[in-house]
Structures are given as C-alpha cells and as structure tokens.
C-alpha cells in the first residue's frame, strides 16, 4: 500500500512516497482502511524535528474509514464498522493503518468518514480546550487565534454555541469573512498591528477571560496583554514557532493570570475519555452547532504540497489527504 514517510527531520523535501505491506493487527488492534486522513499542524512538528521522533516515520494522527480486520481479543469493533481516530494514532498518511482499539471510535450515522477525518483530532482538541481546560460559560469574552484554521474554526463555533462573546484573529480579509461566518463576533487582523489594544477596546477595557493560542511565539505576549484579571492563557500550539518562556512575575503584573500548556494526549487518555470527547464533538456536529469546513483535499501522494499550504498559511478549516 501507499504510505508517506518522512525520511529524516527537515523541510517538505524529506517526505517520500513508499510502498509498504498492509500491516496486520496484533492483539487489541484493528486495521482501518482509510477513506481520508486529516492534515494537522502537529504533523509538521514531527516532520521538522521540533517534536522528537524516530525516522523514517509515517506521519499522520487523524483519519477515518472502515475496519478491515481485527486482532485477537478486540471487543469494541467488528469488521465492516465505520470508525475514526484523532489521538494515539501515528502512521495515518497511508491507505490503511493499524491502531489500538481503545484509540478508535465508531462513527455515528450522519457523520461521514470525510467529516470524521477532518474533525476528530481538531474537534476533540476544541472539546477539551473549551469544556475542560478552561470551561467557557455564556457571556465570557474569549479570544481565539487563527480563527479560520482547523482548530480555530471549530473552537469559534463551539464558543458561540455556548453563548460566549468571541473575538478571533486571522491574517487576511477572506479568512476574516470565514471566521465571522464561523462564530466570531469580531475578527482582528493580527498581521496588521497589535491585537491586544483592540481586544481591550472590544471588551470595554476589561480584557478576555481566556485566550486560546495555537500560534505561539508571535502571539504569546499579546495574548497575556489581552487577558482580564485572573484570566487564563491556554497556549496549545506553535504555528509561528514555540512560545518563549514566561516569568511568573509577568503573570502577577498582568492581573494574577493563569498559564497552561495542554495537549490532547493528556486530556484523552482512556477509552472512556475518548468516547466522551468524540461523543461531545459528534453531538455538536449533528446538532448543527459546529460545521466542519473541509477547505481543501490533496491526494495522499501530494502530502508535501499539503504541508506547504498549511505552513504557508494558505489553508482554511480542515485539510484532507485522500489515499
Ligand atoms: N495541544 C494540542 O493538543 C493541540 C492539538 C491540535 C492542534 N494543536 C495546535 O493548534 C494549532 C492549530 O492547528 P491546526 O492543525 O488546526 O492548524 P491551522 O490552525 O489550520 O493552521 C495554522 C494557522 O496558524 C496561523 N499562523 C499564524 N502564524 C503562523 C505562521 N508563522 N506560520 C504558519 N501559520 C501561522 C495561520 O492562520 P492565519 O493566517 O489566520 O494567521 C495558519 O492557518 C497548531 O499550533 C497546532 O499545533 C494543538
């Protein structure tokens, strides 16, 4: 079968198409034939070497399709089930993938494999950020960076459905239109100047209760400056590079602020947490509160082009790789 592996850490040129045998599921594992795989910023961190990995490495942490075989002792799945994953994967840039059954969820009626492949990693991230890391309540002012992106567009819609006052940031007028259509009450062009003063203005000087910051290096200081007293900065990604260190006294001076750097892999650790998180996401999608926008699809063999688009800020919503 076709798989895309990173030969070593580096730029997109390290990605190569390889022909590998279809893997065989061991005890407690399933073989998923993929209809689509999701593209995620984390894939670029593994490719570039920002996150440590053993090479050669088949990238990919999100996908969906049909269970083709089950290993010994598998209880959650049968051959023919529609299923998807977004945590604890790896090896997703391939036509088929072997996964531990407790890292995979069944797809309910009404959720297509393409939607699941576009939504599971990004949407479970939105779920834990907005319900568990900092639970957003009606009336809360929230700031969401890269609001037209994969995680950002799901988060914005989810925040709006909870009754929050949602301020998004983005880097083009077209993306700003999309963010406004996707749950943001206001959108700031953070490429055109400091966003923190604009956040203050939009919140009558108070600042926001929480900032969800997946951009990292370029936004961290502005995010801290956008917070209300006792607000929380959730820095959860490095799209512009890893966020710099923060002195505890900076948090004190900012108004007794909180800072956390969470990952999905610590919020979805068991099959129960997986079913809860994915279940809440599917509910949001099925109720119409959250629409999953698939901004682009690339053939799996063109994964390098997809990485270029993602790192070049050319994508909106979710991007799929089609095996
Ligand atoms: N902690 C976790 O568990 C977890 C889980 C999933 C995702 N994440 C993080 O969430 C963030 C979003 O992930 P995603 O896959 O949904 O990606 P994405 O938001 O679709 O793409 C990243 C966006 O970041 C913005 N950006 C700002 N500065 C950038 C720069 N210098 N280079 C590239 N992009 C830049 C761009 O939007 P604009 O053009 O609008 O600025 C870009 O479209 C990433 O940082 C990812 O690592 C974290």
């Amino acid at each position: 079968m076709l798989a895309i592996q990173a030969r070593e850490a580096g730029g997109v040129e390290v990605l190569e198409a390889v022909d590998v045998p279809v893997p065989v599921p061991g005890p407690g594992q399933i073989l998923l034939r993929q209809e689509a795989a999701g593209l995620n910023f984390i894939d670029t961190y593994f490719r570039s070497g920002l996150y440590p990995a053993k090479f050669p490495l088949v990238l990919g942490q999100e996908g969906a399709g049909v269970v083709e075989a089950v290993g010994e002792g598998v209880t959650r799945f049968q051959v023919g089930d529609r299923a998807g994953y977004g945590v604890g994967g790896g090896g997703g840039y391939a036509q088929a993938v072997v996964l531990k059954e407790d890292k995979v969820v069944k797809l309910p009626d009404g959720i297509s494999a393409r939607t699941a492949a576009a939504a599971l990693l990004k949407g479970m991230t939105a779920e834990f950020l907005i319900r568990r890391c900092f639970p957003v309540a009606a009336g809360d002012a929230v700031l969401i960076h890269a609001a037209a992106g994969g995680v950002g567009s799901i988060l914005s819609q989810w925040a709006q459905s909870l009754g929050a006052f949602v301020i998004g940031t983005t880097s083009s007028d077209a993306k700003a239109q999309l963010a406004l259509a996707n749950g943001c009450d206001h959108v700031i062009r953070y490429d055109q100047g400091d966003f923190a003063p604009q956040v203050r203005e939009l919140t009558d000087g108070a600042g926001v209760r929480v900032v969800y910051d997946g951009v990292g290096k370029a936004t961290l200081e502005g995010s801290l400056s956008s917070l209300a007293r006792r607000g929380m900065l959730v820095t959860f990604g490095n799209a512009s590079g890893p966020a710099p260190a923060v002195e505890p006294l900076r948090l004190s001076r900012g108004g007794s602020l909180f800072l956390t750097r969470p990952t999905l892999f610590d919020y979805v650790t068991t099959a129960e947490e997986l079913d809860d998180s994915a279940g809440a996401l599917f509910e949001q999608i099925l109720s119409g509160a959250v629409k999953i926008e698939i901004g682009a699809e690339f053939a799996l063999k063109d994964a390098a082009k997809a990485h270029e688009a993602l790192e070049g800020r050319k994508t909106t919503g979710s991007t799929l790789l089609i095996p």
Side-chain angles (χ1 to χ4, degrees), residues 59-111:
L59 302 172
Q61 313 255 344
E62 186 180 39
V66 174
V67 176
E68 192 167 271
V70 299
E72 204 187 306
V74 164
T75 55
R76 278 166 67 86
F77 294 95
Q78 292 180 344
V79 170
D81 283 345
R82 295 182 332 109
Y85 63 98
V87 66
Y93 286 14
Q95 291 177 311
V97 61
V98 157
L99 300 154
K100 287 190 185 148
E101 66 159 337
D102 56 4
K103 301 294 182 193
V104 186
V105 288
K106 274 193 193 157
L107 305 187
D109 290 346
I111 301 284

Side-chain angles (χ1 to χ4, degrees), residues 41 45 125 150-151 170-171 175 190 214 236-239 262-264 313:
F41 225 93
Y45 307 149
T125 299
V151 175
T170 191
S171 70
K175 287 184 177 184
Y190 59 180
F236 68 98
N238 330 287
T263 82
L264 176 61
R313 305 169 84 158

